[in-house]
């Protein structure tokens, strides 16, 4: 048992005479004013610290080298937080005083002045305790005694003796703790295949006293609902806590719509819902505009998940219609941005990076946390649509009464908190648990399967779904991946939740050749797929020492939490590239980091382009793909993973590629039976007249050998169509002496005025390792301000600019050079200078690593 004594708190009280909140949209806001008596609140600031700060006292970064192992003991022990505070008299004279914890991580007993006021068992819940009678003059002592989460989970596992609830423990390679499914806590905090085991303990959100005489507004939320018959209705929900049955007046006004309603109402203890009806024509006028002019604030929007028969295809469609428009969801998956939630301050940068890469959607994955309010506010503002999982992942879960009860409260509170955010377009019950049951990840004997299916249905369908369905403004899916309506038909666990004819699909295969699109499932919606890579050297350097800097070091294998991951990356890279073989160890290491990023970027590009070009067609009964969310956007620490952004915010090559492969207008090239196809893809709302322009280059020459142009094609908004088609042999034959090994293709789309639409793309006719004539380019740089002009004397693939530790990003990176000059801008995220940038800049091309 450890005791931690805090300094005296800063006593502070604030007075509010009215509670108001805005649920606004574009030009106006709804103002809700409740005329009630004064509310006082009082913050207890020093309690808002978490356990990991202890490691900072010793000056050690918990992510340094093997510190996840060195600090393992911390979470095996129990810890007590203690603070003392005095309470202003105007607080204590109120009729009701609540001690409110917005978040406790996780199992704790809380006592005030020596009396236990309550216990907590769920990191995702807010807790409040009535404490008026316990407060006294002078010093009050508050104690939060936290039980080791590892100990707690294992005790809960022992108490559940009738049958096992797998998995018991994570794979050894993750170096994690066991039975995380028995505690309502961030599931990845006991380790994951991309993250360390740091089972944090502490008080991760605010703690305060709320004091009031009559009633207190806990939460205000609103849901706009639309139906043809009733048009728009705004459902406003007030969650109040009343000392006694009280009569009071509520005024709701919608400023821009010139609408005001006053109601006399009788507040009872508990929740009150009030439906506020809007006038239809004015809302209607910006219902579509607001969304499509993009991605500013939108508070009125409709979401439909369309699952209906598809022509020439068995199964059902699966796509989202927002404001009556079918959208292709482009984006990635979000994981916790740090093992220590209270030091996360990167959400703005990460979400802006998502938007800068032309993403319109993110899935908040079910093994992390329900993100903070700021995250969803930013998504609302930036126009990022959120697929929100509930926090259950890759496991079976117990269903004892107390577990179900705490989950129910968690779901009620989170839905209440989050449902006003228009960015959230779908709720989803869990990550991969339907698939885990259906395809028997945990070797459950067939005779016992019904028990687990019963538990599954009890938790996600009978409890979570039932609560969430009160929200009629967006769909609910039980799992991801799932067959959706078909899974429901099959009793909520489909025989094959990965069926490409239904719902969403997660797909990973590291052994196949990722340049071959035939190996990808032509699914309706790809919600997870990806390949690993290493972060750059500047990200690894602060948490390592020179002896770690080789691909075979203990550090390198320690940081890899996915079985055989380091070998898989090299195997995949070796299919198309020579592996780095420098005799200088450090160069060989950094070259290897680079080649893993090249491999990842190229793999995810190929797969994403395959999904995007599959949006309008059905081939062999499969297709109409309307979603591509690769795994994963961000990292939790400095380690190899599937992310496109490194811990700290640096963009990997993949993230730069995403800017292009998610562009709203995009040409995609691929071969089928030795025929080259180019598809024109448009996510725009209007039609375009386009032609494709193909330039054939020799690997050894910067002047294009020949140029081919397609006929003009009308490409409708929201479609993908073949615009160019020619057998590769005839294409090369017509292009003076070119072969697959000596030439490559670059192509773009133009409108009827000859103006390029969308990015330039390229297609390799052989692996770069087999290319003939590819030379080591002589690249020189002209720098002017935060701009670099590269001059090259030959074709150079995967040109990579790096400025080490200077935070920021380039306008483009990892690009193919097929011109003598290339201009690249640097957007600095910290103060820097031209001199510092020049000193730090390095340029790597594929030929530099052999
Ligand atoms: C933590 O507290 C529990 C319950 O009091 C106790 O059983 C356990 O032994 C304690 N663990 C340690 C390491 O003191
Ligand atoms: C509010 O609207 C919802 C959804 O239409 C309905 O179920 C509920 O009964 C309404 N409540 C009130 C108080 O009108
Ligand atoms: C790697 O770890 C092993 C086992 O802990 C140890 O024996 C070996 O000396 C370490 N190697 C290096 C280079 O640190
Ligand atoms: C690279 O190009 C620069 C500028 O054209 C030239 O001065 C230099 O000699 C070249 N280096 C090599 C190795 O060819
Ligand atoms: C490329 O840059 C060089 C040196 O700045 C300049 O002389 C030349 O005109 C540029 N070429 C093109 C095609 O822009
Ligand atoms: C490294 O690999 C390249 C390409 O395979 C080869 O040409 C070169 O000789 C190799 N260098 C060494 C030092 O092995």
């Amino acid at each position: 048992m450890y005791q931690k004594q805090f300094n005296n708190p800063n006593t502070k009280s604030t007075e509010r005479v009215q509670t108001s909140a805005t649920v606004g949209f574009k030009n106006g806001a709804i103002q809700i004013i409740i005329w009630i008596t004064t509310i006082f609140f009082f913050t207890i600031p020093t309690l808002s610290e978490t356990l990991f700060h202890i490691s900072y006292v010793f000056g050690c970064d918990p992510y340094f080298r093997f510190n996840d192992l060195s600090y393992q003991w911390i979470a095996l022990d129990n810890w007590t937080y203690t603070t003392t505070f005095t309470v202003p008299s105007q607080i204590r004279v109120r009729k009701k005083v609540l001690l409110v914890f917005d978040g406790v991580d996780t199992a704790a007993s809380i006592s005030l002045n020596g009396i236990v006021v309550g216990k907590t068992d769920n990191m995702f819940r807010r807790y409040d305790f009535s404490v008026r009678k316990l407060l006294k003059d002078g010093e009050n002592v508050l104690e939060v005694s936290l039980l080791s989460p590892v100990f707690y989970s294992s005790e809960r596992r022992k108490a559940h003796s009738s049958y096992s609830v797998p998995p018991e423990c994570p794979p050894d390679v993750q170096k994690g703790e066991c039975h995380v499914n028995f505690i309502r806590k961030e599931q990845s905090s006991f380790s994951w295949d991309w993250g360390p085991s740091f089972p944090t303990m502490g008080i991760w959100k605010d703690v305060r006293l709320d004091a009031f005489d009559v009633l207190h507004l806990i939460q205000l939320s609103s849901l706009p609902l639309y139906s043809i018959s009733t048009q728009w209705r705004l459902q406003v929900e007030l969650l109040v806590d009343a000392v006694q049955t009280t009569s009071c007046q509520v005024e709701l006004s919608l400023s821009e719509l010139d609408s005001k309603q006053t109601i006399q109402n009788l507040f009872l203890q508990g929740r009150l819902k009030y439906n506020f009806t809007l006038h239809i024509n004015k809302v209607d006028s910006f219902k579509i505009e607001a969304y499509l002019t993009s991605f500013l604030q939108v508070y009125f929007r409709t979401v439909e998940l369309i699952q209906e028969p598809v022509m020439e295809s068995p199964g059902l469609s699966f796509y989202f219609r927002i404001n009556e428009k079918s959208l292709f969801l482009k984006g990635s998956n979000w994981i916790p941005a740090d093992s220590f939630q209270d030091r996360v301050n990167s959400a703005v940068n990460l979400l802006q990076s998502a938007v800068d890469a032309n993403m319109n959607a993110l899935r908040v994955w079910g093994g992390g946390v329900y993100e903070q309010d700021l995250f969803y506010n930013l998504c609302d503002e930036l126009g990022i649509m959120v697929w929100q999982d509930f926090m259950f992942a890759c496991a079976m879960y117990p269903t004892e009464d107390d577990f179900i009860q705490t989950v129910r409260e968690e779901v009620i509170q989170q839905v209440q908190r989050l449902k006003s955010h228009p960015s959230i377009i779908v709720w989803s019950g869990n990550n991969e648990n339907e698939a885990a049951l259906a395809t028997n990840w945990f070797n459950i004997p067939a005779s016992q399967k019904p028990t687990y299916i019963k538990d599954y249905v009890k938790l996600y369908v009978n409890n979570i779904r039932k609560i969430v369905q009160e929200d009629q403004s967006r769909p609910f899916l039980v799992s991801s991946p799932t067959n959706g309506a078909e899974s429901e038909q099959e009793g909520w666990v489909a025989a094959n939740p990965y069926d490409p004819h239904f719902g969403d699909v997660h797909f990973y295969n590291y052994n196949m050749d990722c340049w071959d699109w035939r190996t990808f499932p032509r699914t309706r919606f790809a919600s997870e797929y990806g390949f690993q890579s290493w972060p750059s050297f500047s990200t690894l350097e602060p948490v390592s020492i020179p002896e770690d800097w080789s691909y075979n070091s203990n550090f390198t294998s320690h940081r890899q939490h996915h079985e055989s991951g380091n070998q898989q990356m090299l195997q995949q890279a070796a299919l198309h590239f020579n592996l780095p073989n420098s005799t200088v160890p450090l160069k060989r290491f950094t070259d290897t980091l680079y080649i893993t990023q090249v491999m990842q970027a190229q793999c995810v590009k190929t797969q994403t382009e395959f999904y995007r070009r599959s949006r309008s067609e059905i081939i062999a009964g499969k297709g109409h793909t309307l979603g591509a969310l690769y795994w994963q956007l961000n990292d939790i620490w400095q380690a190899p993973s599937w992310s496109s952004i490194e811990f700290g915010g640096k963009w990997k090559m993949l993230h730069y590629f995403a800017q292009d492969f998610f562009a709203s207008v995009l040409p995609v090239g691929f071969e089928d039976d030795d025929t080259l196809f180019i598809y024109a893809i448009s996510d725009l709302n209007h039609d375009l007249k386009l032609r494709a322009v193909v330039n054939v280059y020799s690997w050894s020459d910067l002047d294009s050998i020949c140029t081919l142009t397609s006929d003009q094609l009308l490409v409708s908004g929201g479609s993908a169509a073949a615009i160019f088609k020619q057998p590769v042999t005839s294409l090369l034959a017509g292009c003076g002496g070119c072969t697959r090994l000596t030439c490559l293709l670059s192509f773009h789309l133009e409108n009827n005025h000859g103006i390029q639409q969308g990015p330039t793309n390229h297609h390799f006719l052989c692996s770069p390792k087999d290319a003939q004539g590819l030379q080591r380019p002589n690249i020189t740089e002209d720098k002017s301000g935060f701009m670099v002009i590269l001059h090259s004397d030959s074709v150079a693939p995967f040109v990579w600019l790096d400025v080490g530790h200077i935070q920021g990003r380039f306008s483009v990176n990892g690009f193919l050079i097929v011109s003598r000059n290339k201009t690249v801008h640097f957007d600095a995220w910290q103060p820097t200078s031209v001199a510092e940038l020049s000193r730090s800049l390095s340029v790597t091309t594929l030929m530099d690593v052999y």
Side-chain angles (χ1 to χ4, degrees):
M1 175 78 80
Y2 291 79
Q3 295 283 338
K4 190 172 182 207
Q5 190 69 42
F6 291 101
N7 300 331
N8 274 332
N10 266 337
T11 305
K12 192 168 77 181
S13 80
T14 309
E15 207 175 290
R16 292 188 290 187
V17 283
Q18 83 185 41
T19 302
S20 74
T22 52
V23 275
F25 54 79
K26 214 175 163 196
N27 307 313
I30 224 187
Q31 182 85 7
I32 294 172
I33 303 175
I34 310 173
W35 296 101
I36 50 175
T37 41
T38 314
I39 289 175
F40 297 88
F41 67 91
F42 169 72
T43 316
I44 307 173
T46 52
L47 262 179
S48 300
E49 299 205 16
T50 52
L51 181 61
F52 87 95
H53 285 148
I54 290 162
S55 51
Y56 279 156
V57 172
F58 301 114
C60 296
D61 178 352
Y63 286 166
F64 186 70
R65 299 195 77 210
F66 307 89
N67 274 356
D68 53 322
L69 299 182
S70 316
Y71 292 156
Q72 205 172 17
W73 63 273
I74 295 176
L76 303 180
D77 226 322
N78 305 320
W79 296 79
T80 296
Y81 285 71
T82 309
T83 193
T84 56
F85 59 96
T86 52
V87 186
S89 58
Q90 77 264 36
I91 296 276
R92 290 181 48 217
V93 299
R94 299 298 131 195
K95 292 217 172 74
K96 190 157 185 182
V97 182
L98 293 176
L99 172 61
V100 183
F101 288 84
D102 281 336
V104 179
D105 175 17
T106 292
S109 168
I110 294 164
S111 64
L112 182 61
N113 295 327
I115 310 285
V116 174
V117 297
K119 293 192 176 226
T120 65
D121 63 7
N122 190 329
M123 171 187 189
F124 307 121
R125 280 175 60 178
R126 177 188 61 239
Y127 288 88
D128 54 41
F129 309 103
S130 192
V131 295
R132 182 176 185 266
K133 293 202 180 94
L134 297 178
L135 292 169
K136 54 183 194 192
D137 283 339
E139 293 212 324
N140 290 274
V141 181
L142 180 59
E143 233 179 47
V144 178
S145 301
L146 291 149
L147 204 55
S148 153
V150 179
F151 173 81
Y152 174 88
S153 305
S154 107
E155 290 294 298
R156 299 289 306 197
R157 164 68 186 95
K158 280 184 210 150
H160 191 289
S161 51
S162 49
Y163 55 92
S164 80
V165 185
E168 301 281 340
C169 296
D172 291 345
V173 67
Q174 288 179 203
K175 295 160 272 267
E177 302 293 351
C178 301
H179 309 302
V180 72
N181 46 350
F182 280 89
I183 186 168
R184 290 311 298 147
K185 175 174 171 57
E186 177 187 323
Q187 297 290 282
S188 61
S189 68
F190 279 36
S191 82
W192 213 260
D193 60 2
W194 37 254
S197 173
F198 279 113
T200 47
M201 302 158 69
I203 298 151
W204 70 300
K205 294 192 172 182
D206 283 349
V207 185
R208 64 182 180 278
L209 292 174
D210 277 343
F212 49 98
D213 283 333
V214 183
L215 60 85
H216 171 39
L217 179 66
I218 300 170
Q219 187 119 40
L220 171 66
S221 51
S222 74
L223 274 184
L225 298 166
Y226 183 82
S227 72
I228 302 276
S229 55
T230 56
Q231 308 288 0
W232 284 105
R233 273 173 306 127
L234 187 65
Q235 189 177 322
V236 176
E237 191 171 316
L238 312 172
L239 181 63
V240 296
D241 185 358
V243 176
Q244 66 226 3
T245 307
T246 312
S247 173
C248 73
Q249 183 176 307
V250 178
E251 183 183 302
L252 295 145
S253 65
L254 198 60
S255 51
E256 287 306 302
L257 297 184
D258 223 11
S259 149
K260 186 188 241 183
Q261 289 194 15
T262 305
I263 45 167
Q264 286 290 137
N265 216 319
L266 200 65
F267 278 120
L268 299 173
Q269 177 98 15
R271 294 208 283 175
L272 174 93
K273 262 197 216 176
Y274 181 68
N275 293 345
F276 184 60
T277 310
L278 288 178
H279 299 291
I280 163 238
N281 40 2
K282 288 189 182 162
V283 173
D284 200 43
S285 66
F286 59 77
K287 166 188 85 182
I288 292 169
E289 300 271 335
Y291 209 86
L292 299 176
T293 47
S294 221
F295 301 172
L296 292 169
Q297 274 183 314
V298 142
Y299 291 93
F300 284 82
R301 60 105 187 83
T302 59
V303 185
E304 297 156 277
L305 174 57
I306 310 295
Q307 301 183 76
E308 60 189 22
V310 182
M311 291 264 282
E312 293 166 46
S313 170
L316 298 172
S317 67
F318 188 90
Y319 63 92
F320 290 90
R321 201 145 71 186
I322 311 290
N323 292 336
E324 287 160 13
K325 197 170 161 39
S326 310
L327 289 188
F328 193 112
L329 264 55
K330 300 180 286 190
S332 185
N333 284 266
W334 173 276
I335 64 159
D338 200 307
S339 292
F340 307 101
Q341 278 294 321
D342 58 340
R343 61 176 193 181
V344 172
N345 57 11
S346 51
V348 181
N349 185 276
L350 288 168
L351 294 174
Q352 186 62 52
S353 291
V355 171
D356 289 349
N358 289 314
M359 296 183 180
N360 64 14
L362 289 175
R363 168 167 171 254
V364 176
W365 166 78
V369 299
Y370 306 93
E371 288 294 331
Q372 44 185 319
D373 295 341
L374 173 70
F375 176 93
Y376 300 97
N377 289 337
L378 288 166
C379 289
D380 293 347
E381 282 165 25
L382 295 170
I384 298 173
M385 292 175 275
V386 175
W387 173 313
Q388 178 67 47
D389 280 2
F390 286 90
M391 296 301 137
F392 302 86
C394 301
M396 303 293 103
Y397 283 85
T399 57
E400 283 99 331
D401 282 351
D402 55 350
F403 189 86
I404 292 283
Q405 281 318 314
T406 198
V407 167
R408 285 183 65 87
E409 188 57 31
E410 162 191 336
V411 172
I412 288 168
Q413 288 186 11
Q414 293 297 340
V415 171
Q416 180 94 30
R417 178 174 74 96
L418 300 178
K419 70 181 176 185
S420 307
H421 290 282
S423 52
I424 298 176
I425 60 161
V426 59
W427 303 107
S428 174
N430 65 68
N431 172 74
E432 297 182 350
N433 298 351
E434 181 184 344
L437 251 181
T439 60
N440 205 7
W441 291 7
F442 306 123
N443 302 313
I444 293 167
S447 62
Q448 285 176 33
K449 197 170 166 189
T451 307
Y452 292 91
I453 292 185
K454 195 161 153 257
D455 280 352
Y456 181 89
V457 173
K458 181 175 177 184
L459 181 59
Y460 305 111
V461 182
N462 299 345
N463 282 284
I464 297 179
R465 179 169 178 267
K466 203 153 197 175
I467 296 166
V468 179
Q469 274 188 329
E470 266 192 46
D471 171 2
Q472 296 164 10
S473 74
R474 45 174 82 80
F476 175 80
L477 291 165
V478 179
S479 189
S480 172
T482 181
N483 291 351
E486 172 62 18
S487 289
E488 182 171 353
Q489 288 292 310
E490 295 179 38
W492 305 104
V493 178
N496 174 23
Y498 298 102
D499 189 335
H501 302 97
F502 296 97
D504 64 325
V505 166
H506 297 186
F507 179 79
Y508 298 95
N509 184 338
Y510 311 109
N511 300 321
M512 68 186 199
D513 175 1
C514 78
W515 285 32
D516 181 1
W517 56 267
R518 287 170 196 80
T519 54
F520 304 130
R522 205 186 285 270
T523 158
R524 306 282 192 222
F525 193 109
S527 47
E528 277 194 25
Y529 57 97
F531 293 85
Q532 278 201 334
S533 71
W534 273 83
S536 49
F537 184 67
S538 62
T539 294
L540 294 171
E541 197 183 8
V543 291
S544 58
I545 60 173
E547 72 172 69
D548 301 332
W549 300 337
S550 99
Y551 207 69
N552 300 316
S553 70
N554 281 351
F555 173 79
T556 304
S557 55
H558 177 73
R559 292 272 160 159
Q560 175 56 267
H561 279 199
H562 167 64
E563 193 68 56
S564 308
N566 287 346
Q567 293 87 313
Q568 284 165 351
M569 278 183 265
L570 295 189
Q571 270 167 28
Q572 184 62 240
L575 296 176
H576 301 287
F577 307 103
N578 292 318
L579 296 183
N581 62 359
S582 169
T583 50
V584 181
L586 182 58
K587 177 163 164 40
R588 185 168 173 157
F589 182 58
T590 55
D591 286 350
T592 306
L593 304 180
Y594 162 84
I595 207 77
T596 66
Q597 290 206 16
V598 170
M599 174 277 292
Q600 180 199 32
Q602 191 69 14
C603 286
V604 178
K605 171 185 193 278
T606 312
Q607 194 164 358
T608 306
E609 289 183 346
F610 168 71
Y611 293 133
R612 289 200 64 196
R613 72 173 159 86
S614 299
R615 87 172 271 168
S616 302
E617 58 188 19
I618 296 288
I619 308 273
K622 295 180 212 141
H624 279 190
T625 307
L626 272 128
L629 309 178
Y630 66 75
W631 186 267
Q632 73 208 58
L633 181 75
N634 55 322
D635 262 340
I636 197 167
W637 72 335
Q638 308 88 343
S641 84
W642 296 257
S643 78
S644 63
I645 303 181
E646 301 174 6
F647 184 77
K650 189 167 185 163
W651 288 21
K652 287 180 175 176
M653 195 178 292
L654 170 58
H655 207 77
Y656 287 100
F657 274 40
Q659 277 186 299
D660 281 354
F661 66 61
F662 283 142
S664 31
V665 177
L666 177 72
V668 168
F670 66 99
E671 287 177 48
D672 196 0
D673 264 349
D674 279 331
T675 295
L676 172 76
F677 286 85
I678 293 175
Y679 272 46
I681 296 154
S682 165
D683 291 342
L684 301 179
N685 294 317
H686 54 272
D687 300 348
L688 293 174
K689 282 184 188 149
L690 297 173
R691 58 166 49 96
V693 180
V694 183
N695 280 297
V696 183
Y697 288 90
S698 147
W699 285 107
S700 60
D701 193 352
L702 283 169
D703 295 311
S704 99
I705 305 177
C706 54
T707 301
L708 304 159
T709 306
S710 75
D711 291 340
Q712 189 166 285
L713 181 75
L714 183 77
V715 179
S716 348
S719 78
I723 193 169
F724 181 96
K725 178 181 171 185
Q726 192 170 341
V728 174
T729 35
S730 80
L731 188 155
L732 293 176
C735 200
C738 238
T739 72
R740 277 189 172 274
L741 301 185
T742 59
C743 287
L744 70 151
L745 311 175
S746 161
F747 51 87
H748 63 268
L749 301 170
E750 302 183 342
N751 66 13
N752 43 4
H753 305 296
I755 298 168
Q756 179 167 345
Q757 305 289 301
T760 301
N761 207 337
H762 54 264
H763 177 71
F764 298 136
L765 296 162
C766 67
S767 298
K769 69 175 179 180
D770 301 323
Q772 288 172 5
L774 183 55
Q775 294 151 24
R776 182 164 312 225
N778 178 12
I779 295 187
T780 55
E781 308 135 25
D782 277 342
K783 295 161 191 129
S784 86
F786 289 2
M787 188 171 94
V788 188
I789 304 166
L790 299 176
H791 307 286
S792 178
D793 61 357
S794 65
V795 172
F798 304 105
V799 178
W800 182 247
L801 278 58
D802 195 331
V803 284
H805 294 288
I806 303 173
Q807 293 259 315
R809 69 171 182 90
F810 292 95
S811 51
V812 289
N813 214 346
F815 44 82
L816 171 74
I817 286 192
V818 283
S819 62
R820 288 184 170 72
N821 299 341
K822 174 92 183 173
T823 303
V824 182
H825 300 267
F826 183 75
D827 175 13
W829 297 337
Q830 65 174 66
T832 182
S833 64
V834 175
E836 190 185 24
L837 277 176
S838 294
R839 252 197 327 275
S840 311
L841 180 68
S842 66
V843 180
T844 306
T845 85
L846 192 58
M847 294 306 285
D848 293 329
V849 309
Y850 304 147

